Amino acid sequence: MSGELYEVISAVGETIIGNRQMLTDLDAAIGDGDHGINMARGFEAVKAKLQTLETESDIGKVLKTVGMTLISSVGGAAGPLYGTAFLRAAVPSQGKTELDVETIGLMLEAAIAGIKERGKATTGEKTMLDALVPAYEAFQDGAKTGKSVIECLELACEAAQQGVEFTKTIIATKGRASYLGERSRGHQDPGATSSYIMLKALLEHLRRQ
Amino acid sequence: MKKVINVPEQVVEEMLQGMVLAHSQYVKRVDGFEVLVRAKKPGAGKVALVSGGGSGHEPSHAGFVGRGMLDGAVAGAVFTSPTPDQVYEAVKAVDNGKGVLLIIKNYSGDVMNFEMAIEMANADGITVDKVIVNDDVAVENSTWTIGRRGIAGTVLVHKIAGAKAEAGAELEEVKRIADKVIHNVRSMGMALDSCTVPAAGKPSFVLEENEIEIGMGIHGEPGTHREVLRTADEITDHLVDKILADMPLAVGQEVAVLINGLGATPLMELYIVNRKVAALLKEKGLHIAKTYVGNYMTSLEMAGFSISILKLDSELKELLLAPADTPALVQF
């Protein structure tokens, strides 16, 4: 695996691991308080798995491995959802060793479609989709006006952050938080938050390059 | 956090090791997986039953692996659904060629992971079907849910569907019976105090000295509302009311009752609750054919309890009263 690809995924993973407590606290307020713990366990497993892929340069293959590893290590709802997202993102990136704006757009689109299908969810239900869908739309807006990968990701991150803020204003209708009904209002969604911090970690890593 | 553990990361593994050592006549480990199956696999011709979910609900579900109940149980991390590969291994280990029924508690994570496992097993040509238990009436008035939660009533599904499978019924029949139990069972719980997930290290929620949570879930997820502590009789009255409002029962109806401790509730208190439940049901002209009191579906060290009421007919009653021989439920 190319050094850069390894670093990008590591950077995303380290961010999740570093935010373990924050994500867990958000989940404790409206869910069952394990989102950070589960996601951190998943990315620790990904870190170990990446060591075995040192010579792999195909981005699609690496993302597929990340997806399979998350599915078999995270559990809960986040495991199948993020796992499916990475598996789907692996399709448009198959055979690629570098990513352009168009491919990233396709990857985000495929990942979101996978999450919607697996979770039978859509936007406005206080889930990770409330961060990811606006992020994808902002990314595509940037792509249409010929912006660079970093510029598009900046727009995406900004939209994802607003999406996280938006989840504070709505009631959960999917996942364990949905059992709270009205009491879930006022809390930000842990899944939307983890999606946002992953995008942000990706952006920050690329900026440093 | 004060717990009798070694390291949080090892609680499930070490628990499973201890369970197998304690109950080797009932269960064995599927090597390399968080899966326990019957020590002696039943002969061909029996539909296999698998349940599972996050750990922390012991004796659910591995405690119910044995004759007359489950064939296999999958243990996820604490309060976290097991992953699809684990469930898939359980299915492969118990399949007898007659099909496998998965008993899933209604949580989106559990449903997704178990469904992915079904896809994997189907690809191998193993026939797998599922039922989803949603007995908790606490959230009945919410239009914002993906359905009700699955709680202690699940154990009655294990018992009755297990008896049907043991009698040699086909997968379709076992599923029909399981669905009938799900249709006829209602539960509701309350908590006096929180619990601490070992890896989290602090309580999932905090209740004031004199405060209780009504409609509490079994993962420390908040319930419907909080109120000031009342007497056992008053709390029981409220919970039974909510259950019967959801499932009106005719005078003379036979029922089964499960008074379930959440982990830190003394049996003394569970019996006090049971006394009141029996009185309330008698008042309404209902007949209790079978009562279970104890810790069946716990929530780590949470203090509190749940009440489950199962509406019986002759078929369900016969299967409920059939023998079972498992680590956590022995019945002759």
Side-chain angles (χ1 to χ4, degrees):
Chain A
M1 184 166 56
S2 72
E4 196 188 327
L5 181 53
Y6 179 84
E7 278 172 31
V8 169
I9 293 172
S10 299
V12 171
E14 289 303 333
T15 303
I16 289 291
I17 293 165
N19 281 288
R20 181 179 182 273
Q21 193 60 48
M22 186 267 283
L23 293 171
T24 295
D25 289 346
L26 287 175
D27 196 27
I30 55 169
D32 54 353
D34 62 3
H35 187 54
I37 297 165
N38 295 342
M39 291 295 287
R41 183 177 57 241
F43 276 98
E44 291 286 0
V46 165
K47 213 158 72 172
K49 194 80 188 176
L50 288 184
Q51 315 284 349
T52 67
L53 286 178
E54 263 176 57
T55 56
E56 184 59 67
S57 61
D58 180 337
I59 293 172
K61 279 191 185 155
V62 172
L63 291 182
K64 188 176 169 202
T65 305
V66 172
M68 289 303 289
T69 307
L70 292 178
I71 285 171
S72 62
S73 62
V74 176
L81 292 171
Y82 277 122
T84 302
F86 277 94
L87 287 185
R88 295 296 178 89
V91 178
S93 56
Q94 183 124 41
K96 310 239 171 192
T97 53
E98 271 183 51
L99 294 179
D100 51 29
V101 169
E102 194 197 342
T103 311
I104 297 176
L106 290 171
M107 288 164 67
L108 281 170
E109 186 184 5
I112 288 168
I115 291 169
K116 284 183 171 173
E117 232 173 83
R118 182 62 65 194
K120 301 178 182 80
T122 184
T123 47
E125 298 178 322
K126 202 172 182 114
T127 70
M128 51 181 76
L129 289 172
D130 291 314
L132 289 174
V133 171
Y136 166 69
E137 286 166 357
F139 187 95
Q140 292 299 76
D141 285 347
K144 271 182 219 142
T145 52
K147 293 194 158 60
S148 70
V149 167
I150 288 187
E151 287 166 333
C152 288
L153 275 175
E154 279 168 351
L155 293 171
C157 277
E158 209 175 295
Q161 188 176 15
Q162 283 165 11
V164 170
E165 289 300 314
F166 169 66
T167 63
K168 289 183 191 170
T169 68
I170 55 173
I171 294 173
T173 58
K174 281 285 176 335
R176 263 177 213 173
S178 69
Y179 300 121
L180 278 185
E182 189 59 44
R183 279 172 83 189
S184 67
R185 203 191 296 275
H187 295 281
Q188 95 186 46
D189 182 62
T193 309
S194 58
S195 292
Y196 162 63
I197 63 176
M198 282 202 259
L199 280 175
K200 193 158 156 257
L202 174 63
L203 170 65
E204 280 171 2
H205 181 80
L206 295 178
R207 271 184 183 150
R208 281 195 299 270
Q209 297 299 296
Chain B
M1 177 172 63
K2 226 157 102 179
K3 282 182 188 289
V4 188
I5 62 171
N6 294 307
V7 284
E9 293 74 25
Q10 289 299 317
V11 290
V12 175
E13 172 61 34
E14 293 179 3
M15 168 187 74
L16 291 174
Q17 289 178 14
M19 280 191 85
V20 170
L21 289 166
H23 306 299
S24 57
Q25 77 273 35
Y26 292 110
V27 293
K28 65 180 181 194
R29 183 86 178 258
V30 173
D31 284 337
F33 294 90
E34 279 81 60
V35 174
L36 297 190
V37 296
R38 290 194 198 181
K40 190 169 179 297
K41 190 171 174 173
K46 185 190 155 319
V47 169
L49 264 56
V50 170
S51 191
S55 292
H57 304 306
E58 295 67 32
S60 286
H61 295 275
F64 302 112
V65 172
R67 197 167 53 80
M69 291 184 81
L70 302 175
D71 293 86
V74 195
V78 175
F79 291 176
T80 299
S81 164
T83 56
D85 50 320
Q86 299 278 343
V87 180
Y88 171 59
E89 285 303 319
V91 167
K92 281 196 295 185
V94 301
D95 179 45
N96 253 328
K98 217 174 168 188
V100 179
L101 184 70
L102 302 183
I103 301 171
I104 311 167
K105 299 195 296 302
N106 192 29
Y107 298 98
S108 31
D110 291 58
V111 174
M112 279 188 261
N113 282 288
F114 278 74
E115 279 179 348
M116 290 174 91
I118 293 177
E119 288 168 23
M120 292 160 83
N122 284 342
D124 278 356
I126 303 176
T127 309
V128 187
D129 213 332
K130 64 168 194 279
V131 293
I132 298 176
V133 189
N134 55 350
D135 54 319
D136 189 351
V137 302
V139 290
E140 60 159 327
N141 290 325
S142 173
T143 48
W144 303 109
T145 63
I146 49 160
R148 294 172 165 177
R149 302 178 288 216
I151 56 174
T154 310
V155 177
L156 299 171
V157 181
H158 295 348
K159 174 68 197 73
I160 291 175
K164 190 73 184 171
E166 210 71 47
E170 297 296 323
L171 178 58
E172 213 174 277
E173 264 296 282
V174 178
K175 179 182 157 72
R176 178 185 68 79
I177 284 289
D179 275 327
K180 191 179 193 180
V181 179
I182 294 166
H183 186 256
N184 285 9
V185 68
R186 302 286 188 284
S187 307
M188 185 154 165
M190 61 80 66
L192 295 166
D193 214 343
S194 185
C195 61
T196 298
V197 173
K202 57 183 188 184
S204 304
F205 60 97
V206 178
L207 288 172
E208 300 302 324
E209 178 60 31
N210 211 22
E211 196 179 33
I212 61 174
E213 179 116 17
I214 299 290
M216 189 72 215
I218 52 168
H219 303 95
E221 67 269 56
T224 53
H225 69 278
R226 291 180 181 186
E227 59 183 42
V228 173
L229 177 63
R230 293 185 279 163
T231 64
D233 283 1
E234 285 168 329
I235 297 167
T236 302
D237 204 11
H238 176 69
L239 297 182
V240 169
D241 254 7
K242 295 285 282 187
I243 291 170
L244 293 182
D246 193 76
M247 182 176 62
L249 297 174
V251 171
Q253 174 67 51
E254 272 198 306
V255 296
V257 170
L258 166 60
I259 312 297
N260 174 59
L262 292 179
T265 310
L267 270 173
M268 172 191 274
E269 295 174 22
L270 298 181
Y271 283 122
I272 291 172
V273 168
N274 184 55
R275 163 197 146 278
K276 181 65 178 174
V277 170
L280 288 168
L281 298 188
K282 192 179 173 193
E283 250 173 52
K284 294 177 195 302
L286 303 170
H287 298 301
I288 301 172
K290 176 80 183 161
T291 300
Y292 297 95
V293 177
N295 294 317
Y296 290 90
M297 177 78 70
T298 59
S299 186
L300 294 170
E301 76 280 28
M302 194 187 291
F305 67 95
S306 64
I307 299 170
S308 302
I309 298 176
L310 169 66
K311 179 180 166 185
L312 292 171
D313 59 13
S314 59
E315 181 181 47
L316 294 184
K317 183 180 172 185
E318 187 189 334
L319 293 166
L320 181 68
L321 299 179
D325 193 15
T326 71
L329 199 159
V330 177
Q331 187 173 304
F332 296 104

